[in-house]
């Protein structure tokens, strides 16, 4: 059985859980606490030398890191994968946009808000610039989603999953989506997909246990 | 003919030029100056609303952004694309690592060094943390490349191109690679590939002209 190493606070992990739910796949779920440094133990670093969750572990011990690479792997040959060369390229365009121009601002400010008073001053000084860049990313999404129901054409797919994960909790990082009607309509369309699970719905069918 | 919008200083643009050279593809080359804001003009933003180079434009006007998505598109069905589901996943794992854990540190410090005295104090304050994270990325590469000739197994491919672009000029951002023998041996293997071009080799066979 597939095993997912994840912290429930992580949108990157939620991407994988959301796709696995859509695919109806059972898996073993292992909690790793990113705040207390459980991704930096020798045991975890054997699975991902870069020290980040999520990590997907196969029965034979192979491990795959990077949430969007995991989405790509799991989605292949399913309805959630793009079907031709051009839509594959557009899907990856949005997934790289997510990791470079969206996650470092929208996800990071949410994580920093979660840290509260524990946020170091050097990080606190970066908040205004990260807010501005987060809104730039939302502007790009708004303009695009004003013209198309999903990020890549008519079909819900892995690009939508990749960008939904942190956009739908952007308010937890202080972002106000009231000026983004097309983004909000798209969030609703994603939520209405059959098989959707919320971020706090951890897998029921398989064991939830602390990482050894 | 394909048209590439690029700034010669950009490693992200060089990735695309390097793959096009390996593929033997001719293309039209358009210079866009990222320092003077040419990626923020209405004309450029029509091609990429996210305001970044490189952008690949097709003859019918379609545009594709994000260097690694462009690599994926151009490489499909070539020797530089991974050949099965697992190597596709590993290739994307390294390409997402590049954009999230490598480029923001190794490429950004090089760009900031290029700005010299014009670097704003808020950015200057981030240099030590970005240096540390850049070395962490190099550590991950070193450990991996100590055991394998290329990033994904025995074959040179788009993951190598994606990570070569900024790693081979890491010294321009102040990184010292003397403690990274496996990374340096890999850089040499990439340079020795037939068809390799240097970062400053702009296309000769097609017109180089300022973006209109």
């Amino acid at each position: 059985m597939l095993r997912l190493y994840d912290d429930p606070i992580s949108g990157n992990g939620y991407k994988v859980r959301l796709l696995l739910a859509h695919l109806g796949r059972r898996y073993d779920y292992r909690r790793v606490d990113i705040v207390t440094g459980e991704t930096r133990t020798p045991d975890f670093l054997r699975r991902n030398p870069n020290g980040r969750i999520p990590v997907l572990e196969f029965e034979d011990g192979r491990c795959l890191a990077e949430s969007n690479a995991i989405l790509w792997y799991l989605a292949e040959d399913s309805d959630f994968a793009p079907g031709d060369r051009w839509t594959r390229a557009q899907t990856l365009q949005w997934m790289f946009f997510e990791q470079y121009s969206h996650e470092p601002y929208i996800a990071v400010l949410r994580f920093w808000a979660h840290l509260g008073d524990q946020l170091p001053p050097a990080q606190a000084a970066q908040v205004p610039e990260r807010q501005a860049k987060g809104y730039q990313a939302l502007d790009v999404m708004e303009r695009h989603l004003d013209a198309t129901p999903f990020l890549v054409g008519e079909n819900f797919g892995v690009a939508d999953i990749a960008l939904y994960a942190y956009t739908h909790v952007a308010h937890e990082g202080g972002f106000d989506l009231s000026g983004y009607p097309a983004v909000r309509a798209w969030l609703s369309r994603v939520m209405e997909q059959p098989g959707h699970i919320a971020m706090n719905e951890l897998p029921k069918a398989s064991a939830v246990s602390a990482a050894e």
Side-chain angles (χ1 to χ4, degrees), chain A:
Chain A
M1 188 182 285
L2 290 173
R3 175 176 292 171
L4 180 65
Y5 292 84
D6 178 32
D7 185 322
I9 197 187
S10 166
N12 286 322
Y14 173 47
K15 295 174 191 174
V16 179
R17 292 190 282 115
L18 180 52
L19 178 58
L20 285 164
H22 278 296
L23 293 168
R25 290 285 294 264
R26 290 190 60 193
Y27 59 100
D28 185 37
Y29 187 75
R30 297 291 174 110
R31 249 180 225 260
V32 183
D33 190 327
I34 58 178
V35 176
T36 61
E38 287 182 8
T39 50
R40 304 286 161 173
T41 64
D43 190 60
F44 189 83
L45 291 171
R46 271 195 304 115
R47 296 187 166 92
N48 180 11
N50 200 29
R52 297 178 183 281
I53 53 92
V55 170
L56 189 68
E57 187 175 60
F58 297 82
E59 285 197 32
D60 61 7
R62 282 175 303 147
C63 286
L64 183 63
E66 297 293 335
S67 56
N68 289 345
I70 296 171
L71 290 184
W72 197 266
Y73 179 89
L74 290 171
E76 278 206 19
D77 303 323
S78 80
D79 292 344
F80 308 100
D84 61 42
R85 185 176 186 174
W86 176 241
T87 55
R88 277 192 288 278
Q90 289 178 289
T91 297
L92 286 174
Q93 176 189 274
W94 282 108
M95 293 169 91
F96 282 108
F97 165 86
E98 191 268 334
Q99 284 287 287
Y100 194 83
S101 298
H102 184 284
E103 207 269 8
Y105 311 114
I106 291 173
V108 168
L109 286 187
R110 173 177 172 267
F111 186 65
W112 288 359
H114 177 81
L115 294 181
D117 293 344
Q118 292 181 296
L119 184 68
Q123 270 75 50
Q126 295 175 31
V127 168
E129 187 190 348
R130 292 197 188 233
Q131 274 178 334
K133 289 188 172 178
Y135 278 117
Q136 281 174 24
L138 292 169
D139 289 346
V140 171
M141 293 177 69
E142 178 71 14
R143 190 187 318 196
H144 184 73
L145 289 165
D146 195 40
T148 177
F150 293 105
L151 286 166
V152 183
E154 302 294 319
N155 298 316
F156 170 70
V158 285
D160 301 294
I161 290 174
L163 275 149
Y164 176 81
Y166 284 113
T167 306
H168 92 292
V169 289
H171 60 279
E172 295 180 17
F175 290 97
D176 176 5
L177 294 190
S178 63
Y180 294 88
V183 170
R184 285 188 285 112
W186 166 78
L187 290 174
S188 297
R189 281 190 290 275
V190 173
M191 284 180 66
E192 288 160 6
Q193 295 298 306
H196 184 81
I197 58 167
M199 194 166 185
N200 61 5
E201 285 184 68
L202 297 175
K204 293 162 190 151
S206 58
V208 176
S209 57
E212 67 271 48

